[in-house]
Amino acid sequence: MPELPEVETIARGVHERVRGDRIVQVWFSSAPQTFKTSASRQSKGLAGRAIVAVHRIGKHIVCELGSAAATEPDAQWVIHLGMTGRLLVTTPDASVAPHTHARLSLASGRELRFVDPRRFGRLEFRTLSKSDGFRASGADPLSIGSKDFAALFHGRKLAIKAALLNQTLLSGIGNIYADESLFHAGIRPGRAAGRLTRTELERLRQALQTVLEHAISLGGSSVSDYVDANGVRGFFQLEHCVYQRTGELCRRCQTPIRRILLAGRGTHFCIRCQR
Ligand SMILES: [Zn+2]
């Protein structure tokens, strides 16, 4: 499943390629869908609108749409990639991948395509006059400040690892980045979130942002099948310090990395570097 850095990378890539473009024609496959908005309503809403900007909110990609490229957005197309979803910018003559569910023809001649073999992805069309803009359930880990970050965990008895994965607290942190950031912050994943000191929490916030930014700079690090906005595979594998390195030696102190189950998830840490 794409994690936050992958989604950020895709959103940036799509933004660079389609910002200012106009959607001239919309096609949806006739396969039964579990979209949040019906294909017919999406088609009607998308056709004719300009793409003002594309950005990430939580683990969603949000296309801000308007009557013209320079206007205030009046609608949004919200994409969640699910397990296997891909958002591609192609030329119209590019061969259509199996499991292509949506094709948006743009005035520039390009196409924006949504491909999803396992169909856990979600597409939603929102008119901003009728509803508020799309919001993630939790705070954004990349932009949250130290005070708000500390407040999220105040008085919480659950393990810090579980708290990091709780999407109502922070949006978009998956298993890889939870384990890696706890390692960089030197914090044991099983410690009660509410028991961390203000200094530890600040170390964790900074570690989280550093690890995420680093992954974004490398173009994401998903271990699963992954394709960028152009349809090109080849994201770098992040040099993980603990994640899925059970039994291998800690890069810092040479102690074997341990794996435990926490909140039902495999959790990797160094018993010596993390306290
Ligand atoms: Zn270590």
Side-chain angles (χ1 to χ4, degrees):
M1 176 173 311
E3 294 226 27
L4 185 150
E6 286 80 37
V7 178
E8 175 72 26
T9 305
I10 297 165
R12 286 183 191 179
V14 174
H15 175 79
E16 275 167 31
R17 290 167 182 90
V18 306
R19 174 188 34 174
D21 221 329
R22 177 180 293 278
I23 303 160
V24 289
Q25 209 182 331
V26 183
W27 171 90
F28 278 92
S29 83
S30 52
Q33 298 297 351
T34 50
F35 295 151
K36 283 201 159 181
T37 308
S38 72
S40 62
R41 241 207 95 214
Q42 289 188 63
S43 294
K44 215 183 271 179
L46 291 167
R49 277 193 158 91
I51 301 169
V52 179
V54 181
H55 59 126
R56 176 190 61 82
I57 299 181
K59 287 217 299 194
H60 293 72
I61 298 166
V62 179
C63 299
E64 302 284 350
L65 306 170
S67 53
T71 55
E72 275 292 296
D74 61 5
Q76 290 175 324
W77 194 41
V78 184
I79 299 129
H80 190 272
L81 297 171
M83 305 284 284
T84 54
R86 283 143 58 192
L87 193 62
L88 309 176
V89 181
T90 69
T91 53
D93 57 343
S95 63
V96 179
H99 312 290
T100 297
H101 300 292
R103 293 170 71 176
L104 277 55
S105 309
L106 307 177
S108 65
R110 286 171 158 156
E111 277 193 17
L112 192 54
R113 296 180 187 174
F114 178 68
V115 182
D116 187 9
R118 291 181 64 187
R119 285 196 272 156
F120 288 113
R122 296 286 176 268
L123 301 177
E124 180 185 10
F125 181 82
R126 301 167 77 105
T127 309
L128 294 178
S129 57
K130 286 183 188 145
S131 67
D132 290 335
F134 178 80
R135 273 193 207 163
S137 51
D140 193 90
L142 276 182
S143 56
I144 192 167
S146 35
K147 211 173 153 191
D148 290 342
F149 188 80
L152 290 178
F153 305 105
H154 185 76
R156 290 188 191 269
K157 293 193 176 84
L158 82 172
I160 185 63
K161 163 76 186 273
L164 287 176
L165 293 178
N166 182 333
Q167 302 296 307
T168 62
L169 299 177
L170 288 165
S171 272
I173 310 268
N175 213 25
I176 300 173
Y177 299 102
D179 281 3
E180 291 296 303
S181 59
L182 285 166
F183 173 78
H184 288 286
I187 296 166
R188 285 265 175 104
R191 286 183 55 197
R195 281 288 187 62
L196 298 183
T197 66
R198 191 66 192 261
T199 314
E200 286 173 323
L201 284 171
E202 181 53 15
R203 231 162 50 211
L204 179 57
R205 185 184 73 93
Q206 289 181 11
L208 204 47
Q209 294 185 348
T210 305
V211 167
L212 290 170
E213 298 279 8
H214 181 62
I216 292 166
S217 75
L218 293 179
S221 74
S222 178
V223 289
S224 57
D225 184 37
Y226 185 67
V227 178
D228 83 352
N230 276 327
V232 178
R233 263 184 87 160
F235 272 88
F236 298 89
Q237 193 81 249
L238 192 73
E239 280 270 284
H240 299 136
C241 287
V242 288
Y243 182 72
Q244 286 187 347
R245 293 193 67 239
T246 313
E248 291 175 48
L249 301 183
C250 171
R251 299 191 197 286
R252 200 175 284 163
C253 75
Q254 312 303 313
T255 304
I257 299 298
R258 289 199 187 184
R259 181 183 187 275
I260 54 167
L261 267 185
L262 234 167
R265 308 292 302 272
T267 296
H268 314 78
F269 68 103
C270 172
I271 198 158
R272 201 155 153 207
C273 293
Q274 294 171 255
R275 301 278 164 176

